[in-house]
Each structure stands twice: as C-alpha cells, then as structure tokens.
Amino acid sequence: MCIRDRYMGTSEHVQEVLRDHCTEFVKVSLSKKVPDDMKIEALGILSHISLGEDWLNYLNNNTFLTFLENLSEYSEEDFVLQMLCLVNKICENPKCTEFLYQTKIIKTLPTLLIDKHEDDEFVYLILKIVKKFLLAGVAITYIINQSKIMEVCLQLVEDSNQNIRAVNNDILDIVLEYDDTLAEKIKEKKFCAWNKVWLESVQGEDEGGYQYEQQPYEGYNEEMLNSRMWDSDSDLD
C-alpha cells in the first residue's frame, strides 16, 4: 500500500492515467452494489489524484457532495479515514476549500476530532484539513469559535507524535494572530510545554551524566608539591 501510494504521488504518467479514469473511481465509491473494501480502495486512489481546481466539477455533483458530507455517518473506520484523505486532497486547492466551507463538512470536523482524539491517524488528517481551511482564509472565525477544537489543539501542544505537534503548532500560530485571548493561552501552553521538556532534559543529564568518583582525603604530603612552584615568576619565563 505504501509503495503504491508513494508511486501514485510521484509519477506524472500514473497521474495522467488516474485523471483519465477519475470518474470511474468516483462511480465505484458511490455505488451501492460495490463491496466496502473495493470502495475503500477506490477512495484511496482518489485521494492521490491531483486534480486541483477540477475537483469542483465533482463537488458540483450533488450525489458526490452528499457522499462527502455524510462521512461521519459511516461505521467503518477505514472508510471514514479514506474519505478524510480525499477531503484533504481536495482542499489542496483554495477554491475547492472555499467551496467545502459552505458545506456540512466543516461542521463535521469538530465532532470527529473529539471522537477520534486518541487515534493519531485521524487526528493528523483532521488537523491537516483544519489547517487548509485556515490558510484559505475562509474558516478562521468559525474555527476560533469552536471551543472544542481549540481545547484539543491546546492539549496537543505536548503530544508525543511529532507530525501531529508540527501541524498543530501551525494551526495555533495562525489562530494567535486573530484572537488575543487565545493567543495568551497558546503562549502560556507552549511556554509550559517548553519548560517541561527543558526540565526533563536537565534531569536526564543529571541521571545519565558523568559521575565523579570521590577520592578519600589522605592528608598533606610533601610529594604532592612541585618544587618549581616556589620559583619566582622570572624563573618561569
């Protein structure tokens, strides 16, 4: 799967072939006669097709749009995950992001983020989508007013997953430019997180650093002295 995904993302020839058959993959994803495992594969392929603004041709199709809007209603996690991958791909184009902002998808993200907050894969994807909405400049006020999203983002400052921390920090850096109250909370949280990391590193050095062996004091001994130490400065030149 990883090899396939990497190849689809880098080969322009493969991209051309996939774009030519994009409609067929969409039909497979929407079909009620196709098994879910095949739909998941079709969605996985769609999420790697670089259509840019041409995704609007599909978003203007009510059946396809409703399918995306109802992503949280599906019980199969792999299905929802691949749908999020597709939404993330579509949002690479600012005009498509603006279009999706007018749909139910933007309102689905807070609930999904709360429900899946312990699943790194879901959290990472949802944050990437949120970031794209912010960068497009169409959802800044909405996202800032979503206290649940902001609460989760503040908690993720100390997340153990480096990729999640990186995209989360990007989101918070955008938010603090637009809301003074949140800006103070973000700065305080980041400062506390930095202090925690610093303290842990210092403690680690203390526990794993050099241990100096203490030698017992044996008293004064004339042999310890260098006879030249009493010479004048001129003699040492």
Side-chain angles (χ1 to χ4, degrees), residues 47-62:
S47 67
H48 286 83
I49 301 179
S50 300
L51 281 184
E53 194 174 327
D54 287 342
W55 275 115
L56 288 173
N57 296 329
Y58 293 94
L59 294 176
N60 281 310
N61 180 292
N62 288 333

Side-chain angles (χ1 to χ4, degrees), residues 84-140:
L84 285 172
C85 287
L86 177 54
V87 171
N88 181 60
K89 187 65 176 180
I90 294 173
C91 284
E92 287 182 356
N93 180 267
K95 289 189 177 181
C96 291
T97 307
E98 292 175 12
F99 185 97
L100 289 178
Y101 176 63
Q102 305 298 327
T103 70
K104 293 193 302 182
I105 290 176
I106 185 66
K107 297 180 180 179
T108 301
L109 297 179
T111 303
L112 269 178
L113 185 59
I114 299 300
D115 291 345
K116 305 293 185 181
H117 71 278
E118 294 183 353
D119 190 312
D120 282 5
E121 204 166 6
F122 272 95
V123 170
Y124 181 60
L125 265 175
I126 294 169
L127 290 179
K128 287 181 69 176
I129 296 171
V130 169
K131 177 183 174 181
K132 287 182 172 67
F133 274 111
L134 289 172
L135 290 175
V138 293
I140 294 174

Side-chain angles (χ1 to χ4, degrees), residues 22 30 36 44 53 136 186:
C22 186
L30 299 177
D36 282 351
E53 194 174 327
I186 292 169

Side-chain angles (χ1 to χ4, degrees), residues 19-189:
R19 283 193 287 266
D20 290 340
H21 294 85
C22 186
T23 300
E24 296 171 35
F25 291 120
V26 170
K27 288 181 179 179
V28 170
S29 301
L30 299 177
S31 176
K32 296 181 180 179
K33 299 179 180 180
V34 175
D36 282 351
D37 57 345
M38 288 190 64
K39 289 184 179 181
I40 290 171
E41 286 298 316
L43 284 168
I45 294 172
L46 285 171
S47 67
H48 286 83
I49 301 179
S50 300
L51 281 184
E53 194 174 327
D54 287 342
W55 275 115
L56 288 173
N57 296 329
Y58 293 94
L59 294 176
N60 281 310
N61 180 292
N62 288 333
T63 303
F64 181 69
L65 180 59
T66 302
F67 172 70
L68 291 180
E69 287 183 317
N70 295 333
L71 65 89
S72 63
E73 298 179 8
Y74 297 94
S75 58
E76 177 63 47
E77 285 199 348
D78 288 341
F79 200 94
V80 178
L81 192 64
Q82 291 302 327
M83 291 183 74
L84 285 172
C85 287
L86 177 54
V87 171
N88 181 60
K89 187 65 176 180
I90 294 173
C91 284
E92 287 182 356
N93 180 267
K95 289 189 177 181
C96 291
T97 307
E98 292 175 12
F99 185 97
L100 289 178
Y101 176 63
Q102 305 298 327
T103 70
K104 293 193 302 182
I105 290 176
I106 185 66
K107 297 180 180 179
T108 301
L109 297 179
T111 303
L112 269 178
L113 185 59
I114 299 300
D115 291 345
K116 305 293 185 181
H117 71 278
E118 294 183 353
D119 190 312
D120 282 5
E121 204 166 6
F122 272 95
V123 170
Y124 181 60
L125 265 175
I126 294 169
L127 290 179
K128 287 181 69 176
I129 296 171
V130 169
K131 177 183 174 181
K132 287 182 172 67
F133 274 111
L134 289 172
L135 290 175
V138 293
I140 294 174
T141 301
Y142 176 81
I143 291 173
I144 286 176
N145 290 331
Q146 295 300 306
S147 58
K148 291 182 179 180
I149 289 184
M150 290 296 98
E151 182 179 343
V152 172
C153 286
L154 286 172
Q155 293 174 355
L156 291 176
V157 169
E158 300 182 63
D159 195 84
S160 59
N161 187 306
Q162 183 177 353
N163 291 328
I164 288 178
R165 286 202 314 273
V167 67
N168 185 63
N169 283 333
D170 289 342
I171 289 173
L172 294 178
D173 286 343
I174 296 172
V175 170
L176 63 80
E177 295 181 6
Y178 292 91
D179 190 287
D180 292 338
T181 302
L182 280 173
E184 291 303 315
K185 292 182 180 180
I186 292 169
K187 291 175 182 178
E188 181 180 355
K189 187 67 176 179

